[in-house]
Amino acid sequence: MKFWKDLFKKKTLGGICLIILLFFVFVAIFADVLAPTKLVGHMLPMDVRNRLVAPFTSAAHPLGTDQLGMDLLSYMIYGARTSVILCVCCTVLSTLVSLVIGVLSAVIGGWFDLIVQRIVDAFGCIPQMLLLLLMMSLMGNGIPQMIIALSVPSGIGGSRMVRSAAISVKDSGYCDNSDLLGGSVLWKCVKHVVPNIMPLIIISAAGSLGGVVLMEASMNFLGYGVAPGTPSWGALITGEGRDMLFTAPWLCIIPGIAIALLTFTSSMFGDAVRDILDPRLRGGVGSYNSKKLDKVVKMLKEKEDEFEEDMGDIA
Amino acid sequence: MKKVLALVMAAAMTLSLAACGGASASGAASGSASGAAVSATVPTSSGEAVDIKAASLDTTGTEPQYGGEVNLYYPKFYNYFDPAMMDEYQFSFWYETLWVMDWGMDNTDHYQFDVGEVPIDDLTGQIATDDAPVLEADASGNGTLTVKIRDDVHFQDGDPYNGRLLTADDVVYSYSRLLGLNGVDKVDTEYDWASTLKMIKGIEAPDDTTVVFTFTDGMANEIQEQALMNAKVNIAGKEWDELTDDQKSDWHYAKGTGPYILTDYEEDNSMTLTKNDNYYDYDERYPDNKLPYIDTIHLIYISDASNILAQAMSGELDWFGENGKEVLSRDQLSQLQDADAGGIYEYDSSSPAAIALKVCQEPFNNIKVRQAMQHAIDLDAANVFLGNSGDVIIPGLWATGMSWSTYGDWPQSLTDEFAYDPQQAKELLEEAGYPDGFEFDIELDPTANLQLYQLAASELAQVGITMNITVASEMMEAVQHSQDYDDTRQSAGFGGGYGSYDLAFMMTGNGQMPNAYGHDDQDYLDMLDQMGSASTVEEQTEIAKKLDQYFPAQHWAILVEGVQPTYDFMSKRIGGYSGEKVYYKGNMRTIWARLWVEQ
Amino acid sequence: MLKYTVKRILLLIPTLFLVCLIVFMLLRFIPGDAVDAIVTRMTQAGQTVDADAVRAKLGMDKPAIQQFFIWMGQILRGDLGDSFFQYRSVQSIVNKQIPVSLELGIISLVLSNVISIPLGLYCAAHQDSISDYVIRVIAVIFMSVPMFWIATLVLFYPAHWWGYAPPVKFVSFFENPIKNMQMFLVPGILGALAQAGMQLRLVRTQVLDTLRQDYVRTAYAKGVKQKRVLHHHAFRNAMIPVITIIGGSVGALVGGNVILENIFNIPGIGSQIVTALGQRDYPVVEGCVLVMSVFVMIVNLIVDLCYKWIDPRVKFD
């Protein structure tokens, strides 16, 4: 497929980032196999007398241990699982919410559209962080709650973009506007609209991947987040990482690098996807910068000189 | 290639910040403070020790200096200035009480800080004169206490008192409003005054400088006198009740007779207190010196621990401490020590972390289960985790510093019940009918050390007991759940607790220690009653010592750590002080009037 | 233009209504034992209440619809209620703390734009050059690193090396601007950095987008120098979507940067809400979220009107 070719040839950085992301997913799926120390119940075993071992100094604990003697490598592996679950589920759920609201709103139109859009506007007015905190405080801590809190508001917000794309597709004349509340006509319309806005969906999904892990870390900082004991990068960096910042900096640096890496690669991958799929930003003819321009000017000049030479022969 | 290079460059530039973190490992403390005795060290996780000082007397004899400004950490803002609000942090500057601890005292061996009561001989006047009050009691314990107050105490200028003289009527008013005596409406407050002041049934002012307390029948004795004098009742005047609710929430009306005047107030951020030039008191150790010394005090609330550290390191914060809670982690404390910003002081925490069980619920009603749970916990591991080098200290009902504690005199059989023995734990569980263990939930208050409980959970998991931890978002919520015996969550942290701290907090309105663990142990309750109605100190002490060992033997609370010290900080600028544990809340009322700052 | 303005203002009303509805409904999902917790706390604070009284205060006793309209009526009259635990009215909390968050937000906004717009232009003009990549990568790194981590380092190292820490005692800007700025500058810069990363990339994208337009191509073909193309043609038109982006970020500004407020001890609306949520002081939460949302609505409206004024071709639904 052209997409994959473009990804790895033209936007190599994006391709590399995708591979890194897939690596995270792999680690997440096979966490139980890969982790040197396994979860007992839902906690990692603690070997307090070997606490705060520095990384790369011990064969038993390649990445060191934390305050309670939990092996950091295992913790990071299980934490990857938490982060990947959050990222994937939030993105999927958020995209789904945007899709459903946006497409239905666009296709049905009329009073339905009006009301739904006002609701979307209203959600957009409530500051995102506050809404998040409010929802988490009402629902309690835990992964399912975080998924809902992180995806539903952003999904509602994203529906606006989906809706405008869906409207432009719909207006191109494939849908019969007269009887849209009849089930089969509605469904046909939706079935037509959705594939055509797929690129946009993919772009926005890829773009929103990155923020989830950071938001999770921020929520942990404020006291909301995963249940205590669940391995999570965000919980580690905001809890022990900050407390032990100067005597055991690896507790902060290692999850910090992991979070930054995950966010960074998601963002870069999202950028690459957008660059490839968004027709307006394709490279080639449309890309202007000084160096390329100079090349074109030089080329034109050469052609001009050739032409003059040729002409000169004639004249 | 270019892109990869750029990526590497940029990444190296930005992430080099993080690398700096690793470079500054904590070094050994240089122990540079002068004139203070070093009593112990705080080992940090890296094994290096931090010098800490026991607070000690300023024996250098340096003459105090006037002037200066200090910044103190302050944990709680009320936006409400009723003198009956118990929190001593907030109101120890512009309000005063009748009596305080003797400022000139030299040793604290006979203090019972954790009881919160200072022996009568070591209490001195503040508004009351230094002369001992006169106790007149008959054989059956009915009687009165007559107290003389100073005739030179003035309220601060401005509304509502406008600088007038304090009289005995004001004292009567202040106590009456807490109990609803003398026709004064009883005030609703956070603190349960009815139980602290249960020993008096009446109070009068025969003249402007005399106050007479009438004891409740049978309670006129030395013990109750001590309790009365220790009750920290702020003295205000009846003008307070004439204020509207809005005025009571307006800091401009917060006036008292104290050494400092509230001159600025930013909600939830800071308060500024300025020296009261009309304050009446003089420094006991330098009798010509009118108090207070320091010109301005700022009380500041700082929400984030790393900011507190930064402020202390840069000299912007002169003191922090919060009774029963570690403000900074040990790691952060070692950084503070390295910065040589001041002294770090140790005192025993009020209550070790424990899981308070509701023994009316299964399976906790079976003592074998409770014993098994205690055997599953490795207290030594907790010690290692917390970075303490000493032996594990297991307290009884009373804190180990108290005279009622029998720590060190325990029979071996009792101490053995706290030994780490997972094998024994499993056997006990089997005997009790739980060969495969069981599962239960606990709820922590937000200030509890979560990791300590996680450690305990993993140890319990080794014997088949699964403990699920949730953290309440607010202290009061945790407390409330801990008192609900239909709620199956067990409690830990402030809501649960071990020993006297727990009991003192749980005191109910009628003055009785309640049944905090849901047990129906009549012997225990009888002993508590006897203690409460004891008429001599000796009788009280004898029963208390029995209780001290009775409580741990029941294992109503599962200890997850031994007694641990906590640490507070005082900057080098604070020029001098006397009295140990100056940061203990009982002292706050007087020390800031007597502290001075090097100019 | 006038018609459009009037139409937009009229549209505010249903949106406002819906915001109230959403906030109201969310808070009806208060878990049961939260009510008990409030009862306990209020009793401890000296107020005689029971669970029913608390429910009445929260508006959970009457049928929801009726309670909603009573509550709406109160709001429209300007009465936001009283805090459960703080001995003051929600209105006074809002009045005191929203300006503080606003100040932090404005500083972040201004600084972030000062950084991101010129850099974004530069990157667009030198697309795919090595400096473009370095700047973009740094921008993404700043976006990827958790803010509280940077803030902790920024607090600790100056204290460690130079004995400097930003002041924690709040002084209003109108009382003492210098002391006030000393407190707000460091968190303002950090907030700016977080936003600048994202904005820089957006600016770059928008400018590149504009540069691909036909009229730019025409200008180049006519022989106009690149610099003039950029400044005269592209910049102004590229700024239109950039203004939208700035306008969109204003919403975040009003939201109060909760983490920065918490770390740097700024008594703003964000930290107030976090505290109130922890204490289950729901009137405060309700009131603050409502006021903030209204603010965002109004600001968005103003931004949209400016956008429409600058580029009349723009249509909104």
Side-chain angles (χ1 to χ4, degrees):
Chain A
M1 280 184 12
K2 186 159 191 302
F3 173 78
W4 300 108
K5 228 176 63 164
D6 279 344
L7 186 62
F8 288 102
K9 286 241 164 55
K10 288 203 190 146
K11 294 272 165 191
T12 331
L13 188 59
I16 296 178
C17 289
L18 178 63
I19 294 182
I20 296 179
L21 283 174
L22 287 175
F23 168 72
F24 279 123
V25 173
F26 173 78
V27 167
I29 296 177
F30 294 105
D32 282 320
V33 171
L34 291 168
T37 42
K38 316 285 181 226
L39 291 177
V40 171
H42 51 263
M43 311 189 73
L44 282 172
M46 299 170 191
D47 179 15
V48 177
R49 287 170 183 84
N50 276 325
R51 60 194 294 263
L52 293 176
V53 169
F56 310 123
T57 55
S58 151
H61 300 287
L63 281 183
T65 59
D66 77 337
Q67 282 190 67
L68 289 166
M70 284 194 275
D71 176 43
L72 197 59
L73 180 59
S74 314
Y75 193 97
M76 293 299 293
I77 291 176
Y78 284 109
R81 188 159 66 175
T82 312
S83 299
V84 165
I85 290 178
L86 274 176
C87 275
V88 168
C89 293
C90 286
T91 310
V92 166
L93 189 57
S94 159
T95 310
L96 217 59
V97 168
S98 298
L99 198 59
V100 166
I101 296 180
V103 168
L104 280 180
S105 188
V107 163
I108 297 180
W111 55 267
F112 181 82
D113 179 33
L114 217 65
I115 292 183
V116 168
Q117 278 314 104
R118 294 285 75 74
I119 296 180
V120 169
D121 275 349
F123 262 101
C125 287
I126 304 177
Q128 191 206 17
M129 192 60 163
L130 299 183
L131 189 55
L132 256 162
L133 290 176
L134 186 56
M135 288 174 76
M136 286 303 290
S137 114
L138 292 173
M139 293 191 290
N141 285 348
I143 292 184
Q145 291 94 328
M146 285 207 76
I147 293 177
I148 295 176
L150 285 172
S151 47
V152 169
S154 70
I156 294 178
S159 72
R160 233 181 282 201
M161 193 179 51
V162 172
R163 176 180 166 278
S164 50
I167 284 182
S168 58
V169 170
K170 178 184 111 169
D171 282 345
S172 57
Y174 283 85
C175 301
D176 179 358
N177 289 349
S178 55
D179 186 13
L180 279 169
L181 286 177
S184 59
V185 183
L186 180 67
W187 185 233
K188 247 209 275 183
C189 208
V190 170
K191 272 210 311 194
H192 167 73
V193 165
V194 171
N196 279 293
I197 59 174
M198 253 316 149
L200 181 70
I201 303 289
I202 294 176
I203 291 173
S204 77
S208 66
L209 263 178
V212 173
V213 182
L214 272 185
M215 284 307 287
E216 189 239 339
S218 306
M219 308 264 276
N220 267 296
F221 178 78
L222 294 167
Y224 302 99
V226 295
T230 315
S232 144
W233 297 343
L236 183 59
I237 197 177
T238 51
E240 289 186 67
R242 282 190 88 215
D243 278 346
M244 310 295 292
L245 187 55
F246 305 103
T247 32
W250 62 90
L251 289 177
C252 201
I253 293 179
I254 292 180
I257 290 180
I259 292 177
L261 193 62
L262 184 56
T263 314
F264 180 81
T265 50
S266 318
S267 302
M268 288 279 109
F269 174 63
D271 274 359
V273 166
R274 188 203 61 223
D275 282 348
I276 294 176
L277 288 181
D278 187 338
R280 296 178 306 157
L281 294 174
R282 279 216 181 104
V285 173
S287 77
Y288 281 92
N289 77 341
S290 41
K291 297 203 169 55
K292 283 202 175 155
L293 200 53
D294 289 340
K295 262 205 238 169
V296 169
V297 166
K298 212 170 90 173
M299 191 183 74
L300 281 175
K301 258 209 136 251
E302 282 171 10
K303 285 271 187 275
E304 203 183 311
D305 291 339
E306 273 181 36
F307 181 68
E308 280 187 16
E309 276 181 38
D310 292 339
M311 286 278 90
D313 283 347
I314 300 174
Chain B
M1 186 53 209
K2 260 205 301 193
K3 301 174 196 177
V4 177
L5 190 61
L7 182 62
V8 169
M9 266 172 57
M13 273 158 49
T14 327
L15 289 177
S16 62
L17 251 185
C20 290
S24 71
S26 69
S30 49
S32 54
S34 61
V38 173
S39 80
T41 51
V42 179
T44 61
S45 49
S46 63
E48 313 270 8
V50 174
D51 255 349
I52 66 131
K53 299 141 198 17
S56 64
L57 291 180
D58 170 26
T59 53
T60 59
T62 322
E63 186 79 18
Q65 303 171 34
Y66 280 90
E69 224 172 291
V70 288
N71 295 322
L72 312 181
Y73 170 74
Y74 196 79
K76 196 171 176 188
F77 279 67
Y78 276 103
N79 307 317
Y80 191 67
F81 304 95
D82 191 316
M85 297 297 265
M86 177 61 175
D87 194 314
E88 295 173 350
Y89 285 115
Q90 182 148 346
F91 300 105
S92 57
F93 299 93
W94 64 86
Y95 285 125
E96 288 187 304
T97 56
L98 277 187
W99 299 279
V100 293
M101 268 176 44
D102 181 357
W103 186 245
M105 53 99 176
D106 282 350
N107 72 64
T108 57
D109 282 347
H110 53 288
Y111 278 21
Q112 297 175 3
F113 278 122
D114 299 287
V115 182
E117 294 193 348
V118 177
I120 297 171
D121 292 339
D122 295 311
L123 280 169
T124 187
Q126 186 161 32
I127 292 175
T129 61
D130 282 343
D131 307 325
V134 177
L135 174 69
E136 285 162 5
D138 64 20
S140 42
N142 302 329
T144 62
L145 187 74
T146 309
V147 181
K148 297 294 261 177
I149 67 168
R150 300 176 69 123
D151 59 2
D152 58 353
V153 181
H154 287 263
F155 282 100
Q156 291 160 4
D157 290 334
D159 286 326
Y161 305 107
N162 295 304
R164 69 165 175 81
L165 188 71
L166 175 94
T167 66
D169 275 333
D170 297 312
V171 177
V172 169
Y173 165 75
S174 303
Y175 279 86
S176 298
R177 69 192 295 262
L178 299 174
L179 296 166
L181 297 172
N182 292 326
V184 181
D185 284 332
K186 184 166 186 282
V187 61
D188 282 331
T189 61
E190 178 162 331
Y191 189 73
D192 182 18
W193 288 106
S195 56
T196 351
L197 295 172
K198 66 185 184 301
M199 76 291 288
I200 58 168
K201 69 174 182 189
I203 176 171
E204 288 177 328
D207 62 55
D208 276 349
T209 54
T210 314
V211 178
V212 178
F213 294 94
T214 309
F215 281 97
T216 309
D217 292 342
M219 289 188 118
N221 56 48
E222 204 183 71
I223 290 183
Q224 298 304 335
E225 182 191 351
Q226 180 174 315
L228 172 62
M229 289 171 71
N230 272 282
K232 297 166 179 65
V233 176
N234 288 317
I235 305 299
K238 59 176 87 57
E239 285 91 328
W240 176 261
D241 267 339
E242 287 153 27
L243 294 176
T244 64
D245 273 346
D246 278 341
Q247 287 172 325
K248 289 183 183 176
S249 313
D250 182 350
W251 62 269
H252 295 91
Y253 291 89
K255 297 281 194 306
T257 58
Y260 286 95
I261 309 174
L262 183 60
T263 50
D264 197 11
Y265 189 88
E266 290 283 349
E267 284 99 339
D268 298 323
N269 182 263
S270 60
M271 284 196 259
T272 303
L273 299 150
T274 316
K275 170 174 169 174
N276 179 2
D277 288 319
N278 295 327
Y279 190 61
Y280 58 88
D281 212 357
Y282 289 79
D283 189 340
E284 294 83 355
R285 304 172 76 242
Y286 300 91
D288 290 331
N289 287 1
K290 185 159 167 189
L291 295 174
Y293 292 111
I294 300 178
D295 276 343
T296 317
I297 296 180
H298 298 287
L299 302 176
I300 308 180
Y301 171 65
I302 306 177
S303 51
D304 185 63
S306 45
N307 205 347
I308 296 175
L309 175 63
Q311 298 297 321
M313 280 170 66
S314 61
E316 296 292 327
L317 190 64
D318 292 301
W319 175 87
F320 63 74
E322 202 170 338
N323 193 22
K325 178 181 162 200
E326 281 200 33
V327 175
L328 294 188
S329 70
R330 304 290 172 89
D331 184 51
Q332 289 166 324
L333 276 176
S334 72
Q335 293 300 317
L336 189 52
Q337 182 62 47
D338 284 348
D340 196 28
I344 299 178
Y345 301 90
E346 169 192 308
Y347 61 102
D348 273 350
S349 74
S350 308
S351 177
I355 303 169
L357 300 173
K358 296 174 183 168
V359 298
C360 47
Q361 296 172 1
E362 283 199 13
F364 308 113
N365 49 0
N366 187 331
I367 191 171
K368 289 208 164 108
V369 168
R370 306 197 297 268
Q371 287 168 336
M373 287 173 75
Q374 187 63 68
H375 279 304
I377 305 286
D378 185 355
L379 292 171
D380 198 46
N383 236 21
V384 171
F385 162 63
L386 291 162
N388 292 315
S389 50
D391 289 331
V392 173
I393 297 177
I394 304 168
L397 177 62
W398 314 111
T400 49
M402 293 169 63
S403 63
W404 295 342
S405 165
T406 58
Y407 179 69
D409 285 335
W410 282 20
Q412 189 59 37
S413 56
L414 184 57
T415 317
D416 283 345
E417 287 184 30
F418 288 85
Y420 175 53
D421 194 343
Q423 191 53 42
Q424 174 79 332
K426 286 204 197 112
E427 282 170 27
L428 282 168
L429 280 174
E430 231 181 276
E431 285 173 39
Y434 298 94
D436 299 321
F438 56 89
E439 191 172 332
F440 72 103
D441 302 320
I442 66 167
E443 184 181 42
L444 303 183
D445 78 79
T447 61
N449 188 337
L450 177 59
Q451 291 179 304
L452 200 54
Y453 290 93
Q454 285 176 325
L455 180 58
S458 79
E459 286 163 354
L460 286 170
Q462 303 294 328
V463 301
I465 303 176
T466 308
M467 178 167 87
N468 303 316
I469 305 175
T470 47
V471 181
S473 54
E474 228 261 321
M475 181 82 84
M476 280 304 159
E477 216 170 292
V479 170
Q480 198 250 333
H481 293 151
S482 72
Q483 296 173 3
D484 180 1
Y485 298 128
D486 289 328
D487 188 312
T488 53
R489 281 172 290 198
Q490 312 308 309
S491 327
F494 193 83
Y498 186 98
S500 62
Y501 185 59
D502 166 51
L503 293 174
F505 176 74
M506 300 283 206
M507 219 183 292
T508 54
N510 56 7
Q512 276 192 339
M513 309 259 190
N515 186 345
Y517 303 97
H519 64 79
D520 54 5
D521 189 327
Q522 199 53 46
D523 292 336
Y524 179 75
L525 293 170
D526 285 342
M527 279 195 273
L528 284 179
D529 274 339
Q530 284 169 28
M531 244 191 77
S533 54
S535 49
T536 63
V537 176
E538 289 77 22
E539 199 183 319
Q540 202 183 41
T541 310
E542 197 193 310
I543 307 173
K545 287 194 172 176
K546 264 197 238 157
L547 279 170
D548 189 53
Q549 292 183 19
Y550 188 91
F551 177 83
Q554 304 310 313
H555 297 288
W556 292 322
I558 309 296
L559 213 50
V560 300
E561 65 169 356
V563 173
Q564 301 292 337
T566 22
Y567 301 92
D568 289 345
F569 162 80
M570 190 179 275
S571 81
K572 290 193 293 193
R573 292 177 59 228
I574 310 277
Y577 53 88
S578 63
E580 292 195 15
K581 292 187 179 175
V582 288
Y583 37 80
Y584 179 72
K585 59 184 180 182
N587 284 346
M588 288 291 276
R589 292 172 169 273
T590 53
I591 64 161
W592 296 110
R594 286 160 179 75
L595 282 187
W596 50 276
V597 180
E598 278 171 359
Q599 301 300 316
Chain C
M1 182 68 192
L2 185 65
K3 209 170 99 179
Y4 178 74
T5 310
V6 169
K7 205 171 95 176
R8 286 303 305 268
I9 292 181
L10 282 179
L11 272 180
L12 269 187
I13 297 174
T15 314
L16 178 62
F17 179 81
L18 283 168
V19 169
C20 291
L21 189 62
I22 292 173
V23 172
F24 177 81
M25 271 175 41
L26 270 178
L27 284 173
R28 297 316 130 196
F29 289 113
I30 297 173
D33 49 354
V35 175
D36 294 335
I38 297 175
V39 171
T40 308
R41 211 162 174 279
M42 288 178 88
T43 318
Q44 298 276 0
Q47 304 173 50
T48 15
V49 284
D50 64 353
D52 292 328
V54 170
R55 283 206 188 84
K57 272 200 178 198
L58 281 173
M60 289 160 83
D61 55 342
K62 303 197 188 61
I65 299 181
Q66 182 185 4
Q67 194 54 44
F68 174 63
F69 282 103
I70 297 177
W71 180 71
M72 278 286 308
Q74 267 184 317
I75 300 283
L76 289 172
R77 267 184 306 234
D79 174 17
L80 288 169
D82 290 324
S83 159
F84 278 166
F85 308 118
Q86 286 192 47
Y87 301 103
R88 45 184 181 152
S89 71
V90 177
Q91 186 68 53
S92 71
I93 295 176
V94 161
N95 287 344
K96 196 118 213 296
Q97 309 208 300
I98 282 194
V100 176
S101 287
L102 268 183
E103 186 185 339
L104 182 62
I106 290 175
I107 294 177
S108 296
L109 185 68
V110 166
L111 284 176
S112 128
N113 286 307
V114 159
I115 297 173
S116 64
I117 293 179
L119 278 181
L121 275 178
Y122 177 84
C123 286
H126 299 91
Q127 187 187 16
D128 289 340
S129 68
I130 195 167
S131 45
D132 177 29
Y133 267 100
V134 168
I135 293 177
R136 279 166 60 202
V137 166
I138 294 182
V140 177
I141 288 180
F142 265 113
M143 277 169 56
S144 311
V145 172
M147 181 50 57
F148 55 82
W149 189 26
I150 298 184
T152 309
L153 295 175
V154 162
L155 265 181
F156 178 79
Y157 280 106
H160 185 58
W161 293 327
W162 310 309
Y164 171 76
V168 278
K169 194 167 159 306
F170 174 73
V171 176
S172 149
F173 183 77
F174 303 107
E175 265 178 53
N176 189 337
I178 299 177
K179 274 212 166 137
N180 178 276
M181 284 309 285
Q182 278 180 337
M183 187 178 181
F184 279 77
L185 201 58
V186 175
I189 292 176
L190 286 182
L193 286 175
Q195 263 189 306
M198 189 176 56
Q199 245 174 282
L200 186 148
R201 297 167 71 230
L202 279 169
V203 168
R204 178 181 171 279
T205 310
Q206 292 300 332
V207 172
L208 284 177
D209 199 19
T210 312
L211 285 178
R212 282 160 178 68
Q213 298 291 328
D214 284 346
Y215 66 89
V216 174
R217 213 195 294 186
T218 313
Y220 274 124
K222 274 163 55 176
V224 179
K225 293 260 186 303
Q226 187 195 25
K227 201 167 175 198
R228 187 166 157 77
V229 170
L230 274 178
H231 285 177
H232 192 70
H233 293 289
F235 179 69
R236 282 158 62 191
N237 287 314
M239 277 304 106
I240 295 172
V242 170
I243 288 176
T244 326
I245 294 164
I246 297 178
S249 70
V250 176
L253 170 164
V254 182
N257 193 329
V258 176
I259 293 179
L260 283 177
E261 284 181 16
N262 184 289
I263 296 183
F264 288 94
N265 216 46
I266 294 173
I269 209 71
S271 60
Q272 179 67 237
I273 290 186
V274 171
T275 318
L277 276 175
Q279 291 178 338
R280 303 205 186 277
D281 197 349
Y282 287 118
V284 173
V285 176
E286 241 172 18
C288 288
V289 173
L290 209 56
V291 171
M292 307 266 291
S293 306
V294 169
F295 226 88
V296 172
M297 249 194 291
I298 295 177
V299 168
N300 281 345
L301 175 65
I302 294 175
V303 167
D304 284 344
L305 289 177
C306 288
Y307 196 173
K308 176 80 170 168
W309 178 60
I310 292 176
D311 184 4
R313 297 172 304 159
V314 164
K315 274 185 174 36
F316 291 98
D317 303 322

